[in-house]
Amino acid sequence: MSALRWGRGAAGLRRALRAEEVRGRPGLRVQEGTPGTWGSKRRSSSASPQEQDGRKDWGHAQLLEVLEARVRQLQAETVSEVMVKPVEVARLPLSGEAQARPGSCSRWASKLDQEKQTLQKRRQRLEVKLQVQAQQRAQELQPRQLRVEPRLLSPQLASRLPRGPRGPPESPWEEPLAQALRAAPQKLDREPTRTPYVSGHQQRLLSFLQCCVVAEQLPLAHHVLVSYHSKPRRQQLLTLPMYNTVLLGWARKGSFKELLYVFWMLKDAGLAPDLQSYAAALQCMGRRDQDAGTIRRCLRQLRQDGLQLSQLFTAITLSEEERAALLKAVVKVEPTFSPPPPPPPQLNTSTLLQGVYAKDSPASYPKLPLSLEALQSLFQQQLRLELGSVVHVTSVEKAPLPTQETLHARQTLKTLRDQWEADLHRGLQETKARLAREAHKGHPSLYPYLCLLSEGELVQLLMQTLQAVPAQGESLISLAYNLGLRVFNRHVVHRKQLSGQVRQLQQQYLQYLHLLASDTQVAQPCLPREYWEMLGGPAPPPEQPWPPVVLLQLGRQLAEVLVQAAQMPRSLAVPQGACRLVPVLYHVYSFRSFRQIGILKPHPAFTQLLATAAEPTLTFEAAEVPMLCPPLPWTSPHAGAFLLTPTKLMRAVEGTTQHQRLLERCPPAQLHGALDALTQLGNCAWRVNGRVLDLVLQLFQAKGCPRLGVPPPPCEAPRPPEGRLPRGAPPARKAELRRELARCLKAAREMRSLRADALYRLSLAQHLRHRVFWLPHNMDFRGRTYPCPPHFNHLGSDLARALLEFADGRPLGPHGLDWLKIHLVNLTGLKKRESLQARLAFANQILDDILDSADQPMTGRKWWMDADEPWQTLACCMEVARAVRAPDPATYISHFPVHQDGSCNGLQHYAALGRDSVGAASVNLLPSELPQDVYSGVAAQVEVFRRQDAEQGVRVAQALDGFVSRKVVKQTVMTVVYGVTRYGGRLQIEKRLRELQDFPQELVWEASHYLVRQVFHSLQEMFSGTRAIQHWLTESARLISHAGSAVEWVTPLGIPVIQPYHRDSKLQVRGGIQNLTCHSSWDSSQKPNVLKQRNGFPPNFIHSLDSSHMMLTALHCYRKGLTFVSVHDCFWTHAADVPVMNQVCREQFVQLHQQPILQDLSRFLVQRFCASPPRGQKLSQHIHHTRLLETLRAVPETGAFDLEQVKESTYFFS
């Protein structure tokens, strides 16, 4: 009988005895507060009442005797924590009642004895089991001895493996090394059968070994490698880079014996040493000052394997220390050997860039508006920020008055955070100990990754993460990935600091500033990249990025530690020790679209505490904030932008590797154009427009203004309907209420998101007020450029652009004020069909409104608020007002950027490619007195088709009378060149039609179908050459992807491009609080997604052309001394320099399209995808190959349009 059952029996006995006393029947006397019982045997219907009473009394006596014995047993054994009170049993009267039978009592006593013996045996067995488990647990907690000697699977090699030192004590392992080098690899057929694909398990294992080497856990890496090698099935996962990683680790330590063991394993696995393997062996010998005989045998074997000694210094990346150790070993055998000199700097030979790199023509590169001393000070500030990894910024959210409640909340937060930090320290220590035991068992774990940073740094990282979790929660997969990535970035910064790279960077950068400072000169003016390369040697090898699965695992592990450690009292009004603790973060599931995702959500009490405390500080990663000094020039695919934080040259979805592989295989000189253009864009110095910022903050800290793009606070979000529906409400009413609730929740989420985005942008703007800053750039896979800091840059909305102006000012000159006025009218969107002269005249006509807007933006006539771009219009009004009020407007120093925007730039490139005269005229490639508006032209053509159909009685055409406008068709016309489908175009037109209040809403669906057909028909009529090129690109991509390849090409500036569209694959990370599943289309091991490859090729190819045009314009403007930045096809410069930029822009467009772009593309595709016939014997493969070859060679014919006319077109960019 268990303690629980005993408790229940005692309670039943108590109730029964109380019932007996109430009835007043003779029987048991129970002391107050002591348990008793009541029971009876089964009744027999044939027994008399006296017999029934006797049997009942006998049952009482028997059961009470059992209970009394049971109580004594329980009190003696102490197997339960239940406190049993002593039972006093009254003796039964003897006369007139049945007597107890001793035989029955002995049977019960015997049963109790047997039960007692059984319990004792069970307890003994349990004690033995617990002792064994405790011993096993103690053994598990003790670190296992790490294996050093491998177990070779080949008996032939195993017999030759040395088990201990042999020979002379000073060099016991030379001969075994020679034997290992001479030994033929076993299972030679293994390597050729391997596919180049590396599984996720192999990626994790290689990353684990590399991390162990970096984290000074080399014996652990060797132990895991030996464990894997010793088991045939696991050995199949090992690759040559894994063996080389451990080889290199032992070589750096000069551990010859362990290095030899790895060599034997390498041969046993059926692998042949490569240059990395021999370089590691020779480095080890150089560090140990090995005898010449061993080194000679190693070099002899290297040559026998078909490798060249000089390749050790040219084909692999070595640090200075590794290079010196390697050379020391080689020179000991070959004293006359010297490493081959570094190759001369390669020159870009592209005809498009001849003018950029010409040394025989003058160049006036611009200087920064700061002295050398000021730039050096800014560099030190930026360096400190990146070493600290985070930037603290004061929030511009209107802070409440510091009431007693606010101060108490802040003190409570401080107390809780101190406790959380201590708990996180303890949790991290326990996690590291557990993961270390796992790794000692031979399983790769996260232990070395957690050793890269100190526990204090990890704690601070987790505390920042906790602070940043939004009230609505954050998906676990996103939070985990960002956590893992931040650990990696901090690790890279630490590595640079420890390896001396920071010190070297300081010396080189301070010299580099002589090229940029306003008060210094260099002997030979040159581009920043060229000057940087002259100052320093080769860049150190880049840190290998961790696989996405490792980042997810590491981030999830840290998130679990955070969830378990961070706890707070359920009620903050109760002292902490007197209230139950609850987690600060809890894990829930929610549906996003049709997928269920895990979310980490803060406890409402914690959210309320943060809101009450109203802390005035925001925390950003250093790479999320604009730089305080000029960025590093881009010199390679992995070197540039931020001083220490790793930055990708080509941004892509994390985990995509094909772009990086293409860039690394590309000859360095081929990328010079892109590298120099990105450097030039990043070198543009910026400052904040303080007057505009003050006005925006005034609205932001009030209730916002959605009309002007200032989001309101969350308290202004629409409220869901209150109250409950009556019980008999119809289903339609319930469905309507659910839809209304969903709309309110969606609006509230959007408002919170927009508000947070504006808060970050405005807080950073306020933080950088009165300072000069820079925006480093990188590019996407098509070559389009983007600023790296995400929250505050010129690629944002109208509000974001209005907050920025050039830090370097230029005098307006004779025509600068006119360009400011024309730009102002362009921003209003009022005179798009008018000439430049008409726009200038209109600006002079409304000068009073312009000055009123500048002087009284919030209290005057507010003319600026009705513009298409209100905030930029207001900023331009202020600049015009200052200029016209200056004593001499021509000498006024203007910092305001003036824009020149392409006229439907995608169609401009298509018209130039096809030499399409009709299309060229529609998009302003031809000179004209007035700007041509392709959107109005398409709308007019659609109207012609509509009238014809209306006359024939088409109902929807009749209903659309008076509703076909430029606005309805503009978005579809703009995006059709970028691959929008008819389905997407129909949705765009449907959205525009729903905005028309007079249009019958019941016809929106039918009308959008009709209009999208007419828009595509009109474009076919107006741009016949464009549609032919689009069709050729689409069909080529379809056939290439059907053959199993992703589409590739090279831009005119030499940037290699590959489309990252593959069939969806799942990346699953099991374990922990949730299994994480990523759906990705970037896995290059999967087959291409034919639909995305086909639809993506035309727009991506055009994007690569417009990025090439922008980069050419940027480089030539830089050579002429202009300040230039761009937002894709919108080019910015000073008002005084607009004519020069316009000239360069047109010249470079003509030069770009004078190249045989389509013919070069055809040749590249044929060489890449049709160079060799298909390997298969199937007839269908040969037919497909032939069709692909014919299609790629069938370049569309071009028209007779003369590109030189573009140079005279006023409205090409305007």
Side-chain angles (χ1 to χ4, degrees):
M1 180 182 291
S2 66
L4 179 61
R5 290 173 61 192
W6 162 247
R8 289 175 181 172
L13 176 63
R14 197 179 300 119
R15 289 194 298 269
L17 291 178
R18 286 175 183 163
E20 286 289 325
E21 291 179 351
V22 169
R23 289 195 295 266
R25 296 175 63 180
L28 301 176
R29 298 193 308 272
V30 183
Q31 288 186 352
E32 187 177 354
T34 61
T37 188
W38 177 84
S40 66
K41 300 184 69 172
R42 287 186 303 171
R43 294 186 179 182
S44 173
S45 58
S46 61
S48 64
Q50 290 85 0
E51 292 175 340
Q52 291 179 5
D53 288 341
R55 293 177 182 176
K56 180 170 62 178
D57 291 336
W58 156 241
H60 288 170
Q62 185 182 29
L63 186 57
L64 285 174
E65 184 178 357
V66 172
L67 289 175
E68 187 177 20
R70 184 60 170 163
V71 168
R72 289 196 302 271
Q73 180 184 10
L74 289 173
Q75 290 175 343
E77 291 179 351
T78 65
V79 294
S80 172
E81 294 180 358
V82 176
M83 299 299 296
V84 182
K85 294 184 179 180
V87 178
E88 182 177 339
V89 181
R91 299 185 63 83
L92 295 175
L94 299 178
S95 60
E97 297 186 15
Q99 303 295 320
R101 286 176 279 184
S104 300
C105 295
S106 63
R107 286 202 307 272
W108 279 102
S110 175
K111 288 182 179 180
L112 287 175
D113 291 338
Q114 291 178 2
E115 183 179 355
K116 182 176 180 181
Q117 293 175 2
T118 303
L119 288 176
Q120 288 177 347
K121 291 178 181 179
R122 288 179 182 175
R123 183 174 60 191
Q124 291 173 358
R125 287 197 299 267
L126 180 61
E127 290 176 353
V128 172
K129 185 176 180 180
L130 290 176
Q131 289 177 358
V132 171
Q133 290 180 352
Q135 293 174 357
Q136 292 176 351
R137 182 66 175 167
Q139 292 176 357
E140 290 178 358
L141 292 177
Q142 293 178 356
R144 289 191 178 187
Q145 186 176 2
L146 299 179
R147 296 174 62 180
V148 177
E149 293 188 4
R151 184 173 73 87
L152 303 184
L153 302 182
S154 167
Q156 191 177 26
L157 292 178
S159 63
R160 298 158 65 183
L161 177 68
R163 299 295 176 183
R166 296 186 305 180
E170 65 276 4
S171 56
W173 296 91
E174 290 88 341
E175 184 58 31
L177 175 63
Q179 294 178 9
L181 293 173
R182 289 195 303 269
Q186 302 298 307
K187 303 183 289 291
L188 285 175
D189 58 338
R190 176 185 161 190
E191 182 67 17
T193 61
R194 290 183 178 180
T195 62
Y197 171 68
V198 179
S199 68
H201 191 171
Q202 289 174 313
Q203 292 179 7
R204 294 194 296 272
L205 181 55
L206 176 60
S207 180
F208 170 83
L209 297 175
Q210 292 170 340
C211 187
C212 283
V213 173
V214 172
E216 300 297 330
Q217 300 287 335
L218 185 56
L220 183 60
H222 186 93
H223 169 74
V224 172
L225 184 70
V226 169
S227 300
Y228 267 73
H229 184 87
S230 301
K231 299 177 181 179
R233 197 173 280 182
R234 285 191 170 189
Q235 189 189 106
Q236 296 295 323
L237 296 171
L238 298 179
T239 61
L240 184 57
M242 298 179 191
Y243 291 100
N244 283 343
T245 297
V246 183
L247 274 177
L248 185 58
W250 289 125
R252 289 171 180 164
K253 292 184 173 297
S255 300
F256 199 75
K257 181 178 72 171
E258 290 81 0
L259 180 138
L260 177 61
Y261 283 146
V262 179
F263 257 107
W264 280 104
M265 287 191 289
L266 188 151
K267 288 298 183 77
D268 185 53
L271 302 172
D274 63 356
L275 286 171
Q276 286 280 9
S277 313
Y278 282 106
L282 291 169
Q283 284 177 48
C284 185
M285 297 179 200
R287 286 186 172 90
R288 291 172 55 91
D289 197 19
Q290 204 79 24
D291 69 285
T294 306
I295 299 174
R296 187 176 294 106
R297 286 193 290 267
C298 183
L299 294 179
R300 186 187 309 124
Q301 188 63 41
L302 180 144
R303 293 186 175 97
Q304 290 177 2
D305 287 346
L307 305 175
Q308 299 295 324
L309 178 59
S310 59
Q311 292 179 309
L312 294 175
F313 297 89
T314 58
I316 59 178
T317 305
L318 299 170
S319 66
E320 289 298 324
E321 181 188 6
E322 292 170 345
R323 186 182 180 88
L326 177 59
L327 184 60
K328 179 181 178 182
V330 173
V331 169
K332 195 166 188 178
V333 174
E334 301 182 11
T336 60
F337 175 83
S338 61
Q346 298 181 8
L347 300 178
N348 190 292
T349 57
S350 171
T351 56
L352 292 173
L353 296 171
Q354 287 178 355
V356 174
Y357 300 117
K359 300 299 181 183
D360 53 353
S361 59
S364 55
Y365 298 116
K367 291 278 191 174
L368 292 174
L370 294 168
S371 65
L372 178 64
E373 183 179 358
L375 288 173
Q376 290 175 343
S377 174
L378 291 175
F379 164 72
Q380 297 296 340
Q381 295 178 40
Q382 179 67 26
L383 186 62
R384 285 195 294 271
L385 287 179
E386 293 196 40
L387 286 173
S389 300
V390 294
V391 180
H392 300 288
V393 175
T394 302
S395 172
V396 297
E397 193 77 76
K398 186 175 182 181
L401 296 175
T403 62
Q404 188 65 31
E405 183 183 11
T406 302
L407 297 177
H408 177 70
R410 292 178 180 176
Q411 182 59 40
T412 302
L413 266 178
K414 183 180 182 305
T415 304
L416 288 173
R417 284 169 178 158
D418 291 341
Q419 181 62 42
W420 294 338
E421 289 183 6
D423 293 341
L424 285 171
H425 269 283
R426 185 165 52 254
L428 284 172
Q429 290 171 355
E430 294 173 355
T431 301
K432 287 172 69 174
R434 175 176 57 82
L435 294 173
R437 293 193 297 271
E438 185 178 338
H440 278 68
K441 295 178 182 178
H443 306 301
S445 71
L446 296 174
Y447 173 67
Y449 299 96
L450 294 178
C451 294
L452 294 173
L453 301 181
S454 67
E455 290 171 6
E457 290 173 300
L458 290 175
V459 167
Q460 291 304 314
L461 183 59
L462 291 175
M463 294 297 294
Q464 294 162 16
T465 301
L466 177 62
Q467 182 76 14
V469 176
Q472 65 272 22
E474 184 175 357
S475 69
L476 177 60
I477 193 168
S478 173
L479 186 143
Y481 187 86
N482 289 331
L483 258 177
L485 194 60
R486 290 166 72 184
V487 172
F488 173 75
N489 289 339
R490 280 164 171 73
H491 155 63
V492 172
V493 172
H494 277 254
R495 286 272 291 168
K496 291 180 178 180
Q497 198 172 7
L498 294 173
S499 63
Q501 294 182 41
V502 173
R503 185 170 56 255
Q504 180 183 354
L505 171 69
Q506 285 181 296
Q507 298 171 357
Q508 190 169 344
Y509 191 91
L510 295 178
Q511 291 296 319
Y512 168 68
L513 290 176
H514 286 78
L515 177 73
L516 305 177
S518 60
D519 57 348
T520 56
Q521 296 292 333
V522 295
Q524 179 67 35
C526 57
L527 291 167
R529 175 190 54 80
E530 296 173 334
Y531 192 68
W532 182 269
E533 290 174 346
M534 286 192 299
L535 289 174
E543 194 73 27
Q544 290 298 319
W546 297 340
V549 64
V550 170
L551 295 175
L552 283 173
Q553 284 179 325
L554 178 60
R556 185 187 60 186
Q557 182 64 68
L558 291 173
E560 290 176 8
V561 173
L562 180 60
V563 170
Q564 294 167 3
Q567 295 185 332
M568 63 183 295
R570 171 180 289 182
S571 174
L572 295 173
V574 181
Q576 186 166 351
C579 185
R580 189 168 69 87
L581 297 180
V582 295
V584 176
L585 293 177
Y586 54 97
H587 182 239
V588 298
Y589 287 91
S590 175
F591 279 94
R592 297 284 172 85
S593 183
F594 58 91
R595 288 177 179 166
Q596 187 183 32
I597 63 171
I599 294 177
L600 286 185
K601 195 170 184 179
H603 195 282
F606 177 65
T607 304
Q608 183 61 40
L609 182 62
L610 287 178
T612 306
E615 293 178 311
T617 303
L618 300 173
T619 302
F620 296 92
E621 291 289 300
E624 296 175 346
V625 180
M627 293 184 67
L628 302 180
C629 69
L632 295 181
W634 282 104
T635 56
S636 71
H638 45 73
F642 291 96
L643 301 181
L644 302 176
T645 307
T647 309
K648 292 182 177 180
L649 173 67
M650 187 172 283
R651 58 172 63 190
V653 179
E654 293 297 339
T656 307
T657 58
Q658 56 261 46
H659 304 302
Q660 192 68 22
R661 289 199 300 266
L662 281 179
L663 290 173
E664 291 175 352
R665 290 201 300 261
C666 189
Q670 185 177 320
L671 295 175
H672 282 174
L675 298 176
D676 291 334
L678 290 170
T679 300
Q680 184 270 322
L681 294 173
N683 274 352
C684 175
W686 298 88
R687 73 179 191 182
V688 174
N689 189 328
R691 291 189 63 191
V692 173
L693 177 60
D694 289 335
L695 295 172
V696 176
L697 288 178
Q698 181 181 338
L699 291 176
F700 182 82
Q701 293 175 348
K703 290 190 176 182
C705 182
R707 175 190 170 194
L708 296 177
V710 182
C715 62
E716 298 295 317
R719 302 284 182 181
E722 297 181 357
R724 292 185 176 182
L725 287 174
R727 178 167 298 180
R733 175 60 182 151
K734 295 180 180 179
E736 180 184 355
L737 186 64
R738 282 195 295 268
R739 286 194 295 269
E740 180 64 23
L741 178 61
R743 281 194 293 269
C744 291
L745 292 175
K746 181 181 178 182
R749 285 196 299 266
E750 291 175 351
M751 286 181 63
R752 280 196 297 266
S753 176
L754 292 172
R755 183 74 176 184
D757 182 60
L759 175 64
Y760 293 162
R761 178 179 294 115
L762 297 176
S763 298
L764 286 172
Q766 180 71 7
H767 176 72
L768 296 168
R769 185 196 285 262
H770 309 307
R771 305 196 69 165
V772 179
F773 56 90
W774 286 261
L775 299 171
H777 281 59
N778 61 1
M779 60 185 177
D780 66 9
F781 73 94
R782 303 162 298 187
R784 277 199 154 190
T785 60
Y786 300 85
C788 297
H791 303 300
F792 186 44
N793 58 60
H794 62 290
L795 248 67
S797 61
D798 164 57
L799 172 59
R801 298 183 187 188
L803 292 173
L804 291 168
E805 58 185 17
F806 295 137
D808 186 18
R810 299 282 178 92
L812 283 178
H815 304 293
L817 181 57
D818 291 344
W819 279 111
L820 274 178
K821 293 177 180 178
I822 293 171
H823 176 56
L824 173 60
V825 176
N826 289 343
L827 291 170
T828 64
L830 296 175
K831 299 292 179 180
K832 294 181 179 180
R833 303 295 300 274
E834 301 293 334
S835 65
L836 294 183
Q837 293 76 15
R839 299 178 200 181
L840 179 60
F842 177 72
N844 291 324
Q845 179 184 346
I846 61 169
L847 189 59
D848 288 343
D849 288 330
I850 295 173
L851 297 178
D852 176 75
S853 296
D855 297 336
Q856 307 175 79
M858 295 299 179
T859 58
R861 294 192 289 270
K862 304 179 183 178
W863 168 82
W864 62 277
M865 291 187 181
D866 296 323
D868 286 355
E869 309 286 350
W871 288 108
Q872 292 178 82
T873 300
L874 176 60
C876 197
C877 287
M878 295 176 176
E879 188 74 3
V880 170
R882 286 192 291 265
V884 298
R885 291 166 177 167
D888 181 8
T891 60
Y892 171 73
I893 304 298
S894 174
H895 296 261
F896 195 82
V898 174
H899 310 169
Q900 294 289 279
D901 201 348
S903 176
C904 199
N905 191 238
L907 284 173
Q908 287 178 328
H909 284 283
Y910 267 124
L913 282 173
R915 304 296 194 271
D916 183 357
S917 298
V918 177
S922 300
V923 291
N924 294 301
L925 294 187
L926 284 174
S928 60
E929 294 183 359
L930 294 175
Q932 302 300 308
D933 184 17
V934 65
Y935 311 117
S936 299
V938 173
Q941 186 65 46
V942 171
E943 177 63 16
V944 171
F945 295 147
R946 187 205 63 78
R947 287 177 184 172
Q948 296 173 356
D949 292 340
E951 292 173 357
Q952 296 178 5
V954 178
R955 185 174 67 97
V956 67
Q958 295 171 348
L960 281 167
D961 186 15
F963 294 102
V964 178
S965 64
R966 179 184 187 273
K967 183 177 181 181
V968 170
V969 303
K970 177 182 177 181
Q971 187 179 13
T972 305
V973 174
M974 184 189 305
T975 54
V976 72
V977 67
Y978 296 126
V980 71
T981 61
R982 294 198 178 214
Y983 175 77
R986 190 200 69 77
L987 294 178
Q988 294 169 346
I989 293 175
E990 178 184 348
K991 187 176 182 181
R992 299 286 83 82
L993 290 177
R994 291 196 182 279
E995 295 172 355
L996 303 177
Q997 296 180 355
D998 299 334
F999 187 78
Q1001 295 299 302
E1002 66 273 10
L1003 294 178
V1004 165
W1005 189 86
E1006 185 179 359
S1008 62
H1009 270 283
Y1010 174 81
L1011 283 180
V1012 76
R1013 288 199 304 270
Q1014 301 306 330
V1015 167
F1016 274 73
H1017 186 196
S1018 301
L1019 288 171
Q1020 182 72 39
E1021 293 285 329
M1022 297 173 61
F1023 297 91
S1024 57
T1026 295
R1027 301 301 291 176
I1029 296 173
Q1030 224 173 7
H1031 175 74
W1032 178 68
L1033 294 173
T1034 301
E1035 184 64 13
S1036 300
R1038 186 184 70 82
L1039 293 173
I1040 290 171
S1041 54
H1042 262 303
S1045 301
V1047 180
E1048 298 180 35
W1049 71 97
V1050 177
T1051 72
L1053 250 62
I1055 303 172
V1057 179
I1058 182 171
Q1059 294 194 140
Y1061 311 132
H1062 299 269
R1063 294 183 182 178
D1064 283 347
S1065 62
K1066 288 185 179 180
L1067 173 66
Q1068 199 164 42
V1069 181
R1070 296 183 176 275
I1073 59 176
Q1074 176 192 329
N1075 292 339
L1076 302 180
T1077 303
C1078 298
H1079 295 266
S1080 65
S1081 61
W1082 40 258
D1083 188 352
S1084 57
S1085 66
Q1086 299 292 325
K1087 291 183 178 180
N1089 185 314
V1090 177
L1091 182 63
K1092 289 186 177 181
Q1093 292 283 344
R1094 185 194 69 186
N1095 292 341
F1097 188 26
N1100 289 336
F1101 182 71
I1102 294 300
H1103 279 315
S1104 71
L1105 293 184
D1106 70 43
S1107 71
S1108 298
H1109 175 225
M1110 185 278 297
M1111 289 182 177
L1112 287 170
T1113 304
L1115 292 171
H1116 283 273
C1117 285
Y1118 190 73
R1119 188 174 179 86
K1120 292 179 179 292
L1122 273 64
T1123 298
F1124 175 92
V1125 292
S1126 78
V1127 181
H1128 304 318
D1129 59 349
C1130 180
F1131 299 166
W1132 298 15
T1133 191
H1134 289 94
D1137 297 329
V1138 170
V1140 179
M1141 185 187 73
N1142 277 337
Q1143 178 188 359
V1144 172
C1145 169
R1146 286 153 177 78
E1147 289 175 351
Q1148 296 312 309
F1149 185 86
V1150 171
Q1151 187 181 7
L1152 172 66
H1153 283 282
Q1154 283 177 343
Q1155 308 300 312
I1157 295 176
L1158 293 180
Q1159 289 74 16
D1160 289 345
L1161 175 64
S1162 173
R1163 281 192 294 270
F1164 175 85
L1165 294 178
V1166 168
Q1167 182 180 2
R1168 174 67 181 82
F1169 300 108
C1170 299
S1172 58
R1175 297 178 182 177
Q1177 300 298 323
K1178 292 184 179 179
L1179 179 62
S1180 60
Q1181 293 180 343
H1182 290 274
I1183 294 175
H1184 184 86
H1185 180 267
T1186 303
R1187 186 178 177 186
L1188 174 60
L1189 184 61
E1190 292 173 353
T1191 301
L1192 296 181
R1193 288 176 174 172
V1195 180
E1197 296 182 359
T1198 58
F1201 171 64
D1202 182 11
L1203 282 172
E1204 290 294 330
Q1205 297 183 73
V1206 175
K1207 296 180 180 179
E1208 307 301 324
S1209 175
T1210 303
Y1211 303 104
F1212 167 63
F1213 268 61
S1214 64

